[in-house]
Amino acid sequence: MMSTVSKAFVTGPKNYNKFINITSRYYGAQAAAKVQKKESKETNKKETKSFVMNIFRGQVQTDQVFPFPSPLSQDQLDTLKMLVDPVDKFFTEVNDPVKNDDTSDIEEKVKQGLWELGAFSMQVPEEFGGLNCNNTQYGRLVEVVGKHDLGVGIMLGSHQSIGFKGILLVGTPEQKAKYLPRVSNGEYAAFALTEPSCGSDAGAVKSRAIKSADGTHYILNGSKIWISNGGIADIFTVFAQVPMKDPETGEIKDKVTAFIVERGFGGLTNGPPERKMGIKCSNTAEVYFDNVKIPAENVLGGEGQGFKVAMNILNNGRFGMAGALSGTMIACAKKAVEHATTRVQFGKTINEFGGVQEKIARMAMLQYVTQSLMYMISGNMDSGSQDYHLEAAISKVFASESAWWVCDESIQILGGMGFMKDTGVERVMRDLRIFRIFEGTNDILRLFVALTGIQYAGSHLKELQKAFKNPAANLGLIFGEAAKRATKAVGLSTPPNFSHLVHPNLAESAGLVGKSVENYGQTIEAVLIKYGKGIVEEQFILNRLAQAAIDTYTSVVVLSRASRAANLNLPTAEHEILMAQAWCQEAASRTAYNLKVAKSEKYTDLFKKYKKISQNVCENGGINPADTPLGF
Ligand code: MYA
């Protein structure tokens, strides 16, 4: 007789039909069409080394997280040391962030000095005039910039993290030889993707480029908004639709294509600098293309490949934000601690009070996690990993929210003084606000993490379903899965264990992460069985899943870093272990809660209430000022 467990397993895969087509994404109307497209594609069978992707299958994949990467050779370390101090000194002595903010400009001597330091071409190979930094070196230097002036950081970042990054990543040898020396020697670059109709929906570009009959050039028309460096750049990476013949159907379809566009081509103009809440000294402007003639050889990464090129550039640069904002948090926390350790109230310095201690401890942990993310991801990238997209998205989300929190609580600790301009933290707060919005809003990146992970988990389950069609040929897969489920069902399964990879003082914390991962895999299965491909519409749930992924990944990253510190007996080891333990404890509780919320009926009901409240308010055109308890 078939046991209950085996029955559940045999009937299980039928349920998987409901979710094997989980593909696209984000907004319902688009989803159906995209699912169709994906159905015709081969299932993504590729195994990945990404830690985050694997937790969606309830697995701990440690290849990219242990040991903590240390990719710098002695030479690279020496070069970095030679660069950090001069950059720090330059920002302390030459750049004036207050003046930059007041004037919404950067003095010529500052820009000139930065060009001379090589700060605009940190990752450009030396042969083209750059500093040849790898990602880890770049991240460290960017941290120095973020400590001093985020507005200047945006001018630098828009230039090299996204402006000409495409040329570095996918440029032809000719494109590199032509443009990299120029962007390393005084010509600013910009990344022109966003349009009024194309913000989070990066594929919805309207600008169009039509190829000439003789194939020698394209004519580009359209416009872009909110382009950082848009008013000062000479060289742009521009994304535009190009009508192309589908090789399979012969149909003409628009496909996004990336181009290198020079201001000097003619027909490219820009609007006035935008007036902004923060990062005021960086230039942001609209950019217009009026019959711009682009030589055919300036297509970047292949005709029709523009969406991939854009994603590639953005994925590649996101860890930089964690670097910069780690520096910002160091600067904010320094001011808060200076105040807390000298300000006496009720007979003692305020750092003696538990309320302030909790804030300072959390500031330290958030900075530690953010910095660890930056070094983990840049180290993975420097070792040649291609599987870092979700991790990079997490680093951007985590860094921007943590820096906001740290800055806000610094102001709280500073009290009235924090609110005064002269203290210099309110400027940082204004500068920080945009980081949760640009380079992919945190909201869209959370959905990206959750849906990409779910798609990966779904592809595994599709494999299982296929295996059932030909059990004889797939006994290994089927029995492996059956055994896993049987042990789970009778309570004999053990959570994934990686305690042997961490320092003994962190074994308990690693145990918490293992449990979170096991719970994660089970939760993904449960929500997929419940919602099928309708999960794409369940943003209340997707957000909880994304948060649990963020908490789980950040935990394993700090476990790795603190273990390294302890194993090397670094002077900071004890402090690092404390922070890692505290972080894992907090994160595991949040994860257990978020996963419970994602699965439970009780919360489905709560989400329905949120939805209805929101609908009421929207139907009303806002919160009705006439709704008062006293009726007037
Ligand atoms: S620049 C503007 C920033 N804009 C964005 O970031 C746009 C955000 N939107 C998106 O990323 C996409 O549109 C989303 C997907 C994610 C919403 N990596 O059907 P799909 C693949 C790899 O889901 P969509 C700025 O702000 C996907 O698997 N692949 O796509 C300036 C699928 O592949 P396949 C990806 O629903 C800031 C295909 O694409 C990715 O249209 C200035 C289609 O997928 C990905 N990420 O939307 C900052 N996403 O078909 C300055 C999707 O093969 C820098 N796919 O299955 C500051 C630096 C710090 C300071 C430095 C100081 C020096």
Side-chain angles (χ1 to χ4, degrees):
M1 206 175 76
M2 207 184 256
S3 74
T4 320
V5 171
S6 335
K7 264 191 216 153
F9 184 55
V10 172
T11 55
K14 284 187 191 149
N15 290 332
Y16 301 154
N17 269 331
K18 291 208 282 179
F19 55 79
I20 52 172
N21 292 326
I22 291 154
T23 52
S24 285
R25 330 269 285 237
Y26 313 105
Y27 302 106
Q30 290 180 350
K34 286 181 178 173
V35 165
Q36 289 290 325
K37 183 187 87 181
K38 293 280 169 91
E39 274 176 349
S40 65
K41 280 191 179 179
E42 179 77 353
T43 309
N44 175 15
K45 292 182 203 160
K46 193 178 149 262
E47 297 295 316
T48 169
K49 298 282 183 212
S50 157
F51 178 88
V52 178
M53 290 278 253
N54 276 288
I55 65 173
F56 285 81
R57 291 182 178 178
Q59 291 169 358
V60 167
Q61 163 54 265
T62 56
D63 283 16
Q64 286 195 170
V65 283
F66 288 103
F68 196 79
S70 67
L72 298 187
S73 65
Q74 193 53 49
D75 268 4
Q76 288 172 316
L77 213 55
D78 293 341
T79 313
L80 184 57
K81 281 184 190 148
M82 273 166 23
L83 289 167
V84 167
D85 286 344
V87 173
D88 197 43
K89 193 164 159 13
F90 179 85
F91 273 96
T92 311
E93 294 176 3
V94 183
N95 182 57
D96 181 348
V98 177
K99 186 167 181 189
N100 292 345
D101 184 54
D102 281 347
T103 59
S104 296
D105 202 2
I106 302 169
E107 286 179 285
E108 212 37 60
K109 69 169 186 200
V110 173
K111 293 187 211 161
Q112 193 51 41
L114 289 169
W115 281 108
E116 282 162 17
L117 277 169
F120 280 99
S121 50
M122 293 187 236
Q123 293 193 274
V124 173
E126 262 172 60
E127 56 181 306
F128 299 124
L131 297 180
N132 201 29
C133 290
N134 63 12
N135 293 297
T136 305
Q137 292 170 309
Y138 171 81
R140 173 68 186 102
L141 289 169
V142 159
E143 187 179 47
V144 178
V145 179
K147 194 172 91 179
H148 291 283
D149 193 336
L150 286 171
V152 173
I154 290 309
M155 176 181 63
L156 292 168
S158 307
H159 175 76
Q160 59 199 308
S161 179
I162 51 177
F164 68 77
K165 181 62 84 57
I167 303 177
L168 264 182
L169 293 178
V170 298
T172 61
E174 294 74 23
Q175 289 170 341
K176 288 183 183 173
K178 180 168 181 187
Y179 289 108
L180 292 180
R182 290 172 59 179
V183 295
S184 304
N185 192 26
E187 290 186 62
Y188 294 102
F191 178 84
L193 171 64
T194 306
E195 300 183 6
S197 62
C198 157
S200 289
D201 189 358
V205 168
K206 291 263 191 304
S207 293
R208 282 186 105 223
I210 309 292
K211 201 171 191 173
S212 63
D214 63 3
T216 59
H217 63 272
Y218 295 79
I219 298 294
L220 168 68
N221 281 289
S223 64
K224 302 283 175 180
I225 54 170
W226 301 325
I227 303 305
S228 302
N229 290 353
I232 60 172
D234 298 303
I235 293 161
F236 294 76
T237 300
V238 179
F239 298 87
Q241 301 285 0
V242 170
M244 288 174 62
K245 198 186 226 176
D246 186 316
E248 281 164 26
T249 62
E251 216 182 317
I252 303 287
K253 271 191 192 157
D254 277 358
K255 293 210 82 181
V256 179
T257 300
F259 294 95
I260 307 168
V261 181
E262 295 183 35
R263 190 179 283 271
F265 289 165
L268 188 157
T269 52
N270 60 268
E274 300 287 355
R275 297 170 65 232
K276 309 187 289 276
M277 171 182 183
I279 57 164
K280 289 185 179 190
C281 66
S282 66
N283 174 279
T284 310
E286 293 189 4
V287 177
Y288 316 110
F289 311 107
D290 181 12
N291 288 318
V292 178
K293 186 173 172 187
I294 312 170
E297 62 270 21
N298 276 29
V299 168
L300 186 58
E303 207 180 53
Q305 299 300 309
F307 185 80
K308 264 196 201 150
V309 173
M311 292 302 118
N312 207 351
I313 294 170
L314 291 164
N315 290 334
N316 194 277
R318 283 189 177 127
F319 79 94
M321 221 177 253
L325 298 180
S326 161
T328 313
M329 285 187 250
I330 292 173
C332 291
K334 188 172 189 319
K335 288 194 171 151
V337 168
E338 272 165 11
H339 184 74
T341 50
T342 50
R343 171 75 170 164
V344 177
Q345 289 288 276
F346 309 105
K348 40 187 179 180
T349 52
I350 61 171
N351 66 314
E352 297 284 316
F353 294 105
V356 176
Q357 285 168 347
E358 189 172 341
K359 290 184 200 299
I360 292 175
R362 183 153 298 107
M363 282 180 189
M365 290 194 293
L366 292 175
Q367 186 278 334
Y368 181 69
V369 178
T370 303
Q371 192 184 54
S372 307
L373 286 171
M374 186 276 280
Y375 282 113
M376 175 65 81
I377 296 162
S378 60
N380 288 161
M381 289 165 74
D382 288 335
S383 314
S385 165
Q386 297 297 316
D387 297 338
Y388 58 82
H389 305 158
L390 301 197
E391 285 78 359
I394 285 177
S395 76
K396 187 272 180 185
V397 171
F398 188 87
S400 56
E401 291 174 7
S402 299
W404 178 258
W405 190 92
V406 168
C407 183
D408 184 41
E409 290 294 3
S410 297
I411 292 176
Q412 193 68 18
I413 289 177
L414 283 154
M417 239 166 79
F419 197 64
M420 299 299 135
K421 256 184 174 301
D422 283 352
T423 309
V425 199
E426 66 80 36
R427 168 179 51 79
V428 178
M429 183 153 224
R430 285 187 285 104
D431 287 348
L432 275 174
R433 188 59 189 85
I434 189 63
F435 284 76
R436 285 158 55 199
I437 300 172
F438 66 13
E439 257 209 343
T441 65
N442 289 8
D443 315 83
I444 213 76
L445 291 180
R446 281 192 153 87
L447 297 178
F448 168 63
V449 168
L451 287 169
T452 308
I454 286 173
Q455 188 178 344
Y456 183 63
S459 72
H460 170 68
L461 294 162
K462 184 166 185 175
E463 281 299 293
L464 262 183
Q465 192 199 30
K466 266 195 195 157
F468 264 83
K469 288 187 182 148
N470 187 2
N474 294 290
L475 283 178
L477 182 60
I478 290 171
F479 281 123
E481 193 67 20
K484 220 165 71 189
R485 277 154 200 275
T487 48
K488 231 187 254 173
V490 293
L492 288 178
S493 76
T494 48
N497 184 357
F498 59 97
S499 304
H500 57 291
L501 295 174
V502 302
H503 186 270
N505 292 353
L506 293 166
E508 198 181 323
S509 308
L512 293 176
V513 177
K515 274 195 197 125
S516 295
V517 174
E518 183 186 41
N519 187 359
Y520 204 95
Q522 290 166 359
T523 306
I524 296 296
E525 274 196 33
V527 298
L528 288 180
I529 286 168
K530 183 167 172 193
Y531 294 101
K533 65 188 176 195
I535 189 68
V536 297
E537 309 284 358
E538 300 296 330
Q539 297 196 356
F540 293 110
I541 289 172
L542 294 170
N543 279 333
R544 268 84 188 166
L545 293 175
Q547 188 53 47
I550 293 170
D551 275 318
T552 308
Y553 179 57
T554 52
S555 296
V556 82
V557 167
V558 292
L559 283 177
S560 178
R561 177 170 169 189
S563 294
R564 177 181 185 272
N567 293 336
L568 294 175
N569 247 326
L570 299 183
T572 53
E574 197 189 321
H575 182 60
E576 292 194 41
I577 285 194
L578 268 176
M579 288 195 288
Q581 286 171 336
W583 183 255
C584 289
Q585 198 174 333
E586 275 195 358
S589 314
R590 267 195 306 270
T591 299
Y593 175 72
N594 277 315
L595 296 181
K596 189 170 105 186
V597 171
K599 279 185 286 204
S600 126
E601 278 308 319
K602 196 169 92 195
Y603 290 96
T604 312
D605 183 53
L606 176 64
F607 299 151
K608 280 187 192 144
K609 292 191 170 94
Y610 292 153
K611 194 177 164 131
K612 186 65 191 139
I613 295 169
S614 164
Q615 279 168 349
N616 291 346
V617 173
C618 290
E619 275 161 23
N620 201 39
I623 296 167
N624 189 354
D627 289 346
T628 66
L630 304 181
F632 63 89

